[in-house]
Structures are given as C-alpha cells and as structure tokens.
Amino acid sequence: MKKLALSLILFSMLACSKAPITGRTQILIVPKYEVLQQSSLQYEEVKKESKIINNQDSVKVKKVGNNIAKAVDTFLRSDPAYAGMADDYNWEFNLIESEEVNAWCMPGGKVAVYTGILKYAKDEDRLAVIMGHEIAHAVADHGRERMSQELIKNYGTATLSTLFNQNPTLATNVFFQAYGISSELVTLKYSRDHEKEADKLGLIFMAMAGYNPNASIEFWESMAADKEAEPLEFFSTHPNSATRIQLLKEYIASPEFSKYLR
C-alpha cells in the first residue's frame, strides 16, 4: 500500500503541468499523442454523421476561427514557456446544421459551431466570444486533463504507466468517458473551474485577434434574458450568467487584461 501511494505521488509530480497564462496546476497523465489521435478520428466521424453547412455563416465561422487561431499561434510562439505547443494544432472550423445551442473545440484545434447558437451570435464579435471560449479549452489542455481524471477514477493508479500499451482500446474508452460522446452530439464535460478559466483565456484570445471583448458582456446578457437558453446542456456546467457577467466585467477592467489589447 505504501509502495502504491509513493508511486502515485511520484507519478503525479512527474505529470504536473501549468495551464497557460493562469498558471493553474494540472495533472496530465494521458499521452498527448493519444489525445490528438482520438480527437482527429472522432472529428472525422462527427463530420460524416453531420450536415456541414457552406454559406455566408460558415464563411464567418471560418474567418473568426482562423483569426483567433492566428492570435493563439503568435502567442504560443512568442513565449518560451509554451515552446512547441503551437505545433500541436491543426486547426479546422466547420458549421454544423443543428438546433442545438452548442459549439466545441477538441484537442488539436478541431472546431464545430452549431447553427443553433448563431441566433445569439449575429456578428463577428459575439461569435468570437463563443469560439474564443471553446478554443481556450483546447489551448489550456482541458480535454487531456479531463481524460487524465477519468483514467485515475476508472482504472486506478497502480499501472498507469503501462495501461495504454497493454490495452489498445483504452485511449478510445477514456476519450469517450471524458467527452460524453454520442453518435449525434459532442458534449464536453468540463468542470466549472475549466469554464471560468476558458472564459478568461477566451477573452484574451479574442482581444488578441482584434475583437471587442465587451461583446462577451452583451452576449451573456442576451443569454440571461432568454429564459429558454439558460438550462441548456451547453451552459449546464458554466457559472450562472449573473456570476459570469460580473467576473468578465472585473477581468476586462483589470490591468492584467489590458496588456493583451491590440
């Protein structure tokens, strides 16, 4: 028992990482290559099972997404602390026909925006709020962190270093457990801490890309005013709108945020 506890402590120390900008400590024990491989495979499946839209809205989605992705790439390459991270992303942006009020970004930069959310994002600034937030989840490695939590919870800690070699289907199982993937919908099960962190990083990335961060206040105020929107799955793990709006206002007014404005 003592050996197991010591092994876990040592393994956790070796797997510790820091989230970009916020510096929050993370445990990332799932190999990065496994996460990126599973993300790419699952994204292709989603595209096969979905109706991809090609119209003016999809052009806007790609434009906003690519602008934010360029800002993220510039940021990562400009800081030695994040050296090499930029190469992990092979960005792709698609608009999917669905009434679901949803958007997501898988590890590696695979992004989907559902047409159902566009009624709340009628201009590029508000769309940047959504896409900046979802891209922030990927940049902060929330997906791999979530998978690591699922691995520890469901498979124990005694053989973490060899599980992936012994069980070739384990990566897929852990990926599905962490992401709650069904045949029609990807529901990313992030914690409230992850959501708050993605709000902050999303603001930074959209501002770096030249979008108005105050649009985040307008977006969430419009969501709060819509009594049907608040209970949706997309918002179920998020802070309630009033809390989120207050936190966003405070961060936008902070000296820390001002250094990221163009």
Side-chain angles (χ1 to χ4, degrees):
M1 197 64 170
K2 286 183 179 179
K3 274 188 179 181
L4 177 58
L6 183 60
S7 297
L8 175 58
I9 292 170
L10 181 59
F11 196 88
S12 297
M13 288 173 63
L14 292 173
C16 275
S17 184
K18 297 284 187 183
I21 299 177
T22 67
R24 181 180 59 83
T25 300
Q26 301 171 289
I27 301 296
L28 302 173
I29 61 176
V30 177
K32 184 185 292 185
Y33 71 86
E34 292 283 2
V35 179
L36 297 178
Q37 181 182 54
Q38 290 300 323
S39 294
S40 182
L41 290 173
Q42 185 57 31
Y43 192 70
E44 291 304 313
E45 287 300 311
V46 170
K47 288 197 296 183
K48 286 178 186 176
E49 296 170 2
S50 305
K51 182 177 179 181
I52 305 298
I53 302 299
N54 292 296
N55 59 15
Q56 289 184 335
D57 286 331
S58 67
V59 170
K60 183 168 64 175
V61 165
K62 292 179 188 297
K63 176 185 175 183
V64 173
N66 281 311
N67 285 342
I68 296 175
K70 287 176 184 175
V72 168
D73 187 80
T74 299
F75 167 74
L76 293 176
R77 295 187 188 281
S78 68
D79 192 328
Y82 311 125
M85 279 184 62
D87 295 330
D88 295 335
Y89 299 95
N90 183 17
W91 299 99
E92 185 174 348
F93 304 93
N94 282 295
L95 179 63
I96 292 175
E97 185 176 273
S98 172
E99 294 182 1
E100 296 285 344
V101 180
N102 199 19
W104 42 265
C105 177
M106 285 185 174
K110 303 301 185 181
V111 179
V113 175
Y114 290 11
T115 53
I117 207 168
L118 294 181
K119 62 182 177 181
Y120 302 106
K122 298 182 189 249
D123 58 40
E124 289 188 18
D125 285 322
R126 291 193 184 194
L127 183 57
V129 174
I130 299 164
M131 298 186 73
H133 174 93
E134 297 305 324
I135 286 171
H137 277 305
V139 175
D141 234 345
H142 290 163
R144 188 153 67 107
E145 186 176 7
R146 175 70 178 158
M147 289 179 68
S148 298
Q149 292 165 353
E150 287 294 327
L151 182 61
I152 293 172
K153 181 175 76 173
N154 294 322
Y155 295 92
T157 57
T159 57
L160 288 177
S161 60
T162 58
L163 274 173
F164 280 94
N165 290 330
Q166 293 177 351
N167 186 349
T169 65
L170 179 59
T172 302
N173 292 339
V174 172
F175 188 89
F176 274 49
Q177 288 160 2
Y179 278 75
I181 294 173
S182 69
S183 60
E184 298 178 351
L185 177 66
V186 178
T187 303
L188 305 186
K189 298 181 179 179
Y190 295 125
S191 70
R192 291 193 178 218
D193 285 342
H194 286 165
E195 295 298 344
K196 289 178 182 178
E197 189 167 67
D199 273 351
K200 179 180 285 190
L201 298 185
L203 271 181
I204 291 170
F205 295 145
M206 70 177 288
M208 286 179 172
Y211 295 106
N212 179 10
N214 289 303
S216 63
I217 308 301
E218 298 166 3
F219 173 79
W220 289 110
E221 285 178 342
S222 70
M223 292 299 306
D226 189 337
K227 301 305 180 186
E228 294 182 0
E230 192 77 7
L232 291 172
E233 179 67 25
F234 178 69
F235 309 102
S236 62
T237 58
H238 293 56
N240 68 60
S241 293
T243 300
R244 160 176 264 143
I245 290 167
Q246 183 58 35
L247 291 173
L248 289 170
K249 285 181 177 178
E250 290 174 0
Y251 190 61
I252 289 172
S254 70
E256 178 189 349
F257 180 69
S258 64
K259 66 185 180 184
Y260 298 109
L261 295 175
R262 287 177 59 173

Short mmCIF file of all heavy atoms in Angstrom, two decimals, residues 193-234:
data_model
loop_
_atom_site.label_atom_id
_atom_site.label_comp_id
_atom_site.label_asym_id
_atom_site.label_seq_id
_atom_site.Cartn_x
_atom_site.Cartn_y
_atom_site.Cartn_z
N ASP A 193 -14.46 25.12 -12.90
CA ASP A 193 -13.13 25.76 -12.91
C ASP A 193 -12.60 25.87 -14.33
O ASP A 193 -12.01 26.89 -14.71
CB ASP A 193 -12.15 24.97 -12.04
CG ASP A 193 -12.39 25.18 -10.56
OD1 ASP A 193 -13.07 26.16 -10.21
OD2 ASP A 193 -11.92 24.36 -9.76
N HIS A 194 -12.79 24.81 -15.11
CA HIS A 194 -12.38 24.85 -16.51
C HIS A 194 -13.13 25.94 -17.27
O HIS A 194 -12.56 26.65 -18.10
CB HIS A 194 -12.64 23.50 -17.19
CG HIS A 194 -11.67 22.44 -16.79
ND1 HIS A 194 -11.88 21.10 -17.04
CD2 HIS A 194 -10.46 22.51 -16.18
CE1 HIS A 194 -10.86 20.39 -16.59
NE2 HIS A 194 -9.98 21.23 -16.07
N GLU A 195 -14.43 26.04 -17.00
CA GLU A 195 -15.24 27.02 -17.70
C GLU A 195 -14.81 28.44 -17.38
O GLU A 195 -14.74 29.30 -18.27
CB GLU A 195 -16.73 26.82 -17.36
CG GLU A 195 -17.31 25.50 -17.83
CD GLU A 195 -17.28 25.33 -19.34
OE1 GLU A 195 -17.09 26.33 -20.06
OE2 GLU A 195 -17.44 24.19 -19.80
N LYS A 196 -14.53 28.70 -16.12
CA LYS A 196 -14.09 30.04 -15.72
C LYS A 196 -12.73 30.36 -16.35
O LYS A 196 -12.49 31.49 -16.79
CB LYS A 196 -14.02 30.14 -14.21
CG LYS A 196 -15.37 30.16 -13.53
CD LYS A 196 -15.23 30.21 -12.01
CE LYS A 196 -16.60 30.18 -11.33
NZ LYS A 196 -16.48 30.18 -9.86
N GLU A 197 -11.86 29.36 -16.38
CA GLU A 197 -10.55 29.57 -17.00
C GLU A 197 -10.69 29.82 -18.49
O GLU A 197 -10.01 30.69 -19.06
CB GLU A 197 -9.67 28.35 -16.74
CG GLU A 197 -8.22 28.54 -17.14
CD GLU A 197 -7.34 27.43 -16.58
OE1 GLU A 197 -7.49 26.26 -17.03
OE2 GLU A 197 -6.52 27.71 -15.69
N ALA A 198 -11.59 29.09 -19.15
CA ALA A 198 -11.81 29.28 -20.58
C ALA A 198 -12.44 30.64 -20.87
O ALA A 198 -12.16 31.25 -21.91
CB ALA A 198 -12.70 28.16 -21.14
N ASP A 199 -13.28 31.13 -19.95
CA ASP A 199 -13.82 32.48 -20.12
C ASP A 199 -12.69 33.51 -20.15
O ASP A 199 -12.65 34.41 -21.00
CB ASP A 199 -14.76 32.83 -18.96
CG ASP A 199 -16.18 32.36 -19.21
OD1 ASP A 199 -16.49 31.93 -20.33
OD2 ASP A 199 -16.99 32.43 -18.27
N LYS A 200 -11.76 33.38 -19.20
CA LYS A 200 -10.66 34.34 -19.11
C LYS A 200 -9.74 34.25 -20.33
O LYS A 200 -9.42 35.26 -20.97
CB LYS A 200 -9.86 34.09 -17.83
CG LYS A 200 -8.68 35.02 -17.65
CD LYS A 200 -7.91 34.72 -16.36
CE LYS A 200 -8.65 35.22 -15.14
NZ LYS A 200 -7.81 35.17 -13.92
N LEU A 201 -9.32 33.03 -20.67
CA LEU A 201 -8.42 32.86 -21.81
C LEU A 201 -9.12 33.23 -23.12
O LEU A 201 -8.50 33.79 -24.03
CB LEU A 201 -7.91 31.42 -21.88
CG LEU A 201 -7.08 30.92 -20.70
CD1 LEU A 201 -6.55 29.53 -20.97
CD2 LEU A 201 -5.93 31.86 -20.39
N GLY A 202 -10.41 32.90 -23.21
CA GLY A 202 -11.17 33.24 -24.41
C GLY A 202 -11.22 34.74 -24.65
O GLY A 202 -11.09 35.21 -25.78
N LEU A 203 -11.39 35.50 -23.57
CA LEU A 203 -11.36 36.97 -23.67
C LEU A 203 -10.02 37.44 -24.22
O LEU A 203 -9.95 38.31 -25.09
CB LEU A 203 -11.57 37.60 -22.29
CG LEU A 203 -12.98 37.90 -21.82
CD1 LEU A 203 -12.92 38.56 -20.44
CD2 LEU A 203 -13.71 38.80 -22.80
N ILE A 204 -8.95 36.87 -23.68
CA ILE A 204 -7.61 37.26 -24.10
C ILE A 204 -7.39 36.96 -25.58
O ILE A 204 -6.92 37.81 -26.35
CB ILE A 204 -6.55 36.55 -23.25
CG1 ILE A 204 -6.58 37.08 -21.81
CG2 ILE A 204 -5.15 36.71 -23.85
CD1 ILE A 204 -5.74 36.28 -20.83
N PHE A 205 -7.76 35.76 -26.00
CA PHE A 205 -7.51 35.36 -27.39
C PHE A 205 -8.36 36.16 -28.37
O PHE A 205 -7.88 36.53 -29.45
CB PHE A 205 -7.75 33.86 -27.56
CG PHE A 205 -6.80 33.00 -26.78
CD1 PHE A 205 -7.22 31.80 -26.21
CD2 PHE A 205 -5.48 33.38 -26.60
CE1 PHE A 205 -6.34 31.01 -25.48
CE2 PHE A 205 -4.59 32.60 -25.87
CZ PHE A 205 -5.02 31.41 -25.31
N MET A 206 -9.63 36.45 -28.02
CA MET A 206 -10.44 37.23 -28.95
C MET A 206 -9.93 38.66 -29.03
O MET A 206 -9.94 39.27 -30.11
CB MET A 206 -11.92 37.19 -28.55
CG MET A 206 -12.29 37.93 -27.29
SD MET A 206 -14.09 37.91 -26.95
CE MET A 206 -14.72 39.03 -28.22
N ALA A 207 -9.44 39.20 -27.90
CA ALA A 207 -8.87 40.56 -27.92
C ALA A 207 -7.59 40.59 -28.74
O ALA A 207 -7.35 41.54 -29.51
CB ALA A 207 -8.60 41.02 -26.49
N MET A 208 -6.75 39.56 -28.62
CA MET A 208 -5.53 39.47 -29.41
C MET A 208 -5.84 39.42 -30.91
O MET A 208 -5.05 39.89 -31.73
CB MET A 208 -4.74 38.21 -29.03
CG MET A 208 -4.02 38.29 -27.70
SD MET A 208 -3.17 36.72 -27.37
CE MET A 208 -2.22 37.16 -25.91
N ALA A 209 -7.00 38.83 -31.23
CA ALA A 209 -7.39 38.71 -32.64
C ALA A 209 -8.08 39.96 -33.16
O ALA A 209 -8.46 40.03 -34.33
CB ALA A 209 -8.31 37.51 -32.81
N GLY A 210 -8.24 40.97 -32.28
CA GLY A 210 -8.81 42.24 -32.71
C GLY A 210 -10.31 42.39 -32.49
O GLY A 210 -10.91 43.35 -32.98
N TYR A 211 -10.92 41.44 -31.76
CA TYR A 211 -12.35 41.53 -31.50
C TYR A 211 -12.61 42.26 -30.18
O TYR A 211 -11.75 42.31 -29.30
CB TYR A 211 -12.98 40.14 -31.49
CG TYR A 211 -12.90 39.47 -32.85
CD1 TYR A 211 -12.01 38.43 -33.09
CD2 TYR A 211 -13.70 39.91 -33.90
CE1 TYR A 211 -11.91 37.83 -34.35
CE2 TYR A 211 -13.61 39.33 -35.16
CZ TYR A 211 -12.73 38.29 -35.36
OH TYR A 211 -12.63 37.71 -36.61
N ASN A 212 -13.82 42.81 -30.06
CA ASN A 212 -14.19 43.62 -28.91
C ASN A 212 -14.55 42.73 -27.72
O ASN A 212 -15.59 42.05 -27.75
CB ASN A 212 -15.37 44.52 -29.27
CG ASN A 212 -15.83 45.38 -28.11
OD1 ASN A 212 -15.17 45.46 -27.07
ND2 ASN A 212 -16.98 46.02 -28.27
N PRO A 213 -13.75 42.72 -26.65
CA PRO A 213 -14.05 41.85 -25.51
C PRO A 213 -15.34 42.21 -24.80
O PRO A 213 -15.95 41.36 -24.14
CB PRO A 213 -12.84 42.05 -24.59
CG PRO A 213 -12.25 43.37 -25.00
CD PRO A 213 -12.52 43.50 -26.45
N ASN A 214 -15.80 43.47 -24.93
CA ASN A 214 -17.06 43.86 -24.31
C ASN A 214 -18.26 43.14 -24.92
O ASN A 214 -19.34 43.10 -24.32
CB ASN A 214 -17.26 45.37 -24.43
CG ASN A 214 -16.30 46.14 -23.53
OD1 ASN A 214 -16.26 45.94 -22.32
ND2 ASN A 214 -15.49 46.99 -24.12
N ALA A 215 -18.06 42.55 -26.09
CA ALA A 215 -19.12 41.75 -26.71
C ALA A 215 -19.46 40.55 -25.84
O ALA A 215 -20.57 40.01 -25.92
CB ALA A 215 -18.71 41.30 -28.10
N SER A 216 -18.52 40.12 -25.00
CA SER A 216 -18.80 38.99 -24.10
C SER A 216 -19.90 39.35 -23.11
O SER A 216 -20.74 38.51 -22.77
CB SER A 216 -17.53 38.56 -23.37
OG SER A 216 -17.05 39.60 -22.52
N ILE A 217 -19.89 40.59 -22.64
CA ILE A 217 -20.93 41.05 -21.72
C ILE A 217 -22.27 41.06 -22.43
O ILE A 217 -23.28 40.57 -21.91
CB ILE A 217 -20.60 42.46 -21.17
CG1 ILE A 217 -19.18 42.51 -20.59
CG2 ILE A 217 -21.65 42.88 -20.15
CD1 ILE A 217 -18.94 41.55 -19.47
N GLU A 218 -22.29 41.62 -23.65
CA GLU A 218 -23.52 41.69 -24.43
C GLU A 218 -24.06 40.29 -24.73
O GLU A 218 -25.27 40.04 -24.64
CB GLU A 218 -23.26 42.44 -25.73
CG GLU A 218 -22.80 43.89 -25.54
CD GLU A 218 -22.23 44.49 -26.81
OE1 GLU A 218 -22.24 43.80 -27.86
OE2 GLU A 218 -21.77 45.64 -26.77
N PHE A 219 -23.15 39.38 -25.07
CA PHE A 219 -23.57 38.01 -25.40
C PHE A 219 -24.23 37.34 -24.20
O PHE A 219 -25.32 36.78 -24.31
CB PHE A 219 -22.36 37.20 -25.87
CG PHE A 219 -22.66 35.74 -26.08
CD1 PHE A 219 -23.31 35.32 -27.23
CD2 PHE A 219 -22.31 34.79 -25.13
CE1 PHE A 219 -23.60 33.97 -27.43
CE2 PHE A 219 -22.60 33.45 -25.32
CZ PHE A 219 -23.25 33.04 -26.48
N TRP A 220 -23.58 37.41 -23.05
CA TRP A 220 -24.13 36.72 -21.88
C TRP A 220 -25.35 37.42 -21.31
O TRP A 220 -26.23 36.77 -20.73
CB TRP A 220 -23.05 36.52 -20.82
CG TRP A 220 -22.06 35.50 -21.26
CD1 TRP A 220 -20.77 35.69 -21.62
CD2 TRP A 220 -22.32 34.10 -21.43
NE1 TRP A 220 -20.20 34.50 -22.02
CE2 TRP A 220 -21.12 33.51 -21.92
CE3 TRP A 220 -23.44 33.30 -21.24
CZ2 TRP A 220 -21.02 32.16 -22.19
CZ3 TRP A 220 -23.33 31.94 -21.52
CH2 TRP A 220 -22.14 31.39 -21.99
N GLU A 221 -25.45 38.71 -21.50
CA GLU A 221 -26.67 39.40 -21.10
C GLU A 221 -27.85 38.96 -21.96
O GLU A 221 -28.97 38.77 -21.45
CB GLU A 221 -26.48 40.92 -21.19
CG GLU A 221 -25.63 41.49 -20.05
CD GLU A 221 -25.40 42.98 -20.17
OE1 GLU A 221 -25.58 43.54 -21.28
OE2 GLU A 221 -25.01 43.59 -19.15
N SER A 222 -27.60 38.75 -23.25
CA SER A 222 -28.67 38.27 -24.14
C SER A 222 -29.06 36.84 -23.78
O SER A 222 -30.23 36.46 -23.84
CB SER A 222 -28.24 38.36 -25.61
OG SER A 222 -27.24 37.41 -25.91
N MET A 223 -28.07 36.04 -23.38
CA MET A 223 -28.36 34.67 -22.95
C MET A 223 -29.18 34.67 -21.66
O MET A 223 -30.12 33.89 -21.51
CB MET A 223 -27.06 33.91 -22.73
CG MET A 223 -26.27 33.62 -23.98
SD MET A 223 -27.18 32.61 -25.18
CE MET A 223 -27.60 31.22 -24.18
N ALA A 224 -28.81 35.54 -20.74
CA ALA A 224 -29.52 35.62 -19.46
C ALA A 224 -30.97 36.06 -19.66
O ALA A 224 -31.86 35.65 -18.91
CB ALA A 224 -28.80 36.57 -18.51
N ALA A 225 -31.19 36.89 -20.67
CA ALA A 225 -32.54 37.40 -20.94
C ALA A 225 -33.43 36.34 -21.57
O ALA A 225 -34.66 36.45 -21.54
CB ALA A 225 -32.47 38.63 -21.84
N ASP A 226 -32.81 35.31 -22.14
CA ASP A 226 -33.57 34.24 -22.80
C ASP A 226 -33.79 33.12 -21.79
O ASP A 226 -32.88 32.34 -21.49
CB ASP A 226 -32.80 33.73 -24.01
CG ASP A 226 -33.62 32.76 -24.85
OD1 ASP A 226 -34.57 32.16 -24.31
OD2 ASP A 226 -33.32 32.61 -26.04
N LYS A 227 -34.97 33.02 -21.26
CA LYS A 227 -35.26 32.05 -20.21
C LYS A 227 -35.16 30.61 -20.70
O LYS A 227 -34.96 29.69 -19.92
CB LYS A 227 -36.67 32.29 -19.63
CG LYS A 227 -36.84 33.68 -19.03
CD LYS A 227 -35.79 33.98 -17.97
CE LYS A 227 -35.98 35.37 -17.38
NZ LYS A 227 -34.90 35.74 -16.46
N GLU A 228 -35.27 30.42 -22.01
CA GLU A 228 -35.17 29.07 -22.55
C GLU A 228 -33.72 28.64 -22.72
O GLU A 228 -33.42 27.46 -22.75
CB GLU A 228 -35.88 28.99 -23.91
CG GLU A 228 -37.39 29.20 -23.81
CD GLU A 228 -38.05 29.06 -25.17
OE1 GLU A 228 -37.32 28.81 -26.16
OE2 GLU A 228 -39.28 29.21 -25.24
N ALA A 229 -32.81 29.58 -22.86
CA ALA A 229 -31.41 29.24 -23.15
C ALA A 229 -30.66 28.79 -21.91
O ALA A 229 -29.81 27.89 -21.97
CB ALA A 229 -30.70 30.44 -23.77
N GLU A 230 -30.95 29.38 -20.77
CA GLU A 230 -30.13 29.16 -19.58
C GLU A 230 -30.00 27.69 -19.15
O GLU A 230 -28.94 27.25 -18.77
CB GLU A 230 -30.69 30.00 -18.42
CG GLU A 230 -29.78 30.08 -17.20
CD GLU A 230 -28.63 31.05 -17.40
OE1 GLU A 230 -28.60 31.74 -18.42
OE2 GLU A 230 -27.74 31.08 -16.54
N PRO A 231 -31.08 26.87 -19.23
CA PRO A 231 -30.93 25.49 -18.76
C PRO A 231 -30.27 24.55 -19.76
O PRO A 231 -30.08 23.38 -19.46
CB PRO A 231 -32.39 25.04 -18.53
CG PRO A 231 -33.22 26.27 -18.65
CD PRO A 231 -32.45 27.20 -19.54
N LEU A 232 -29.93 25.03 -20.96
CA LEU A 232 -29.41 24.12 -21.99
C LEU A 232 -28.12 23.44 -21.56
O LEU A 232 -27.35 23.96 -20.76
CB LEU A 232 -29.18 24.90 -23.29
CG LEU A 232 -30.45 25.39 -24.00
CD1 LEU A 232 -30.10 26.29 -25.16
CD2 LEU A 232 -31.28 24.20 -24.48
N GLU A 233 -27.87 22.27 -22.15
CA GLU A 233 -26.70 21.48 -21.82
C GLU A 233 -25.41 22.26 -21.99
O GLU A 233 -24.47 22.13 -21.23
CB GLU A 233 -26.65 20.23 -22.71
CG GLU A 233 -25.45 19.32 -22.48
CD GLU A 233 -25.47 18.66 -21.12
OE1 GLU A 233 -26.56 18.49 -20.55
OE2 GLU A 233 -24.39 18.32 -20.62
N PHE A 234 -25.35 23.12 -23.01
CA PHE A 234 -24.15 23.90 -23.28
C PHE A 234 -23.74 24.74 -22.08
O PHE A 234 -22.57 25.03 -21.88
CB PHE A 234 -24.39 24.80 -24.49
CG PHE A 234 -23.22 25.69 -24.84
CD1 PHE A 234 -22.06 25.15 -25.34
CD2 PHE A 234 -23.30 27.06 -24.69
CE1 PHE A 234 -20.98 25.96 -25.69
CE2 PHE A 234 -22.25 27.87 -25.02
CZ PHE A 234 -21.08 27.32 -25.52
#
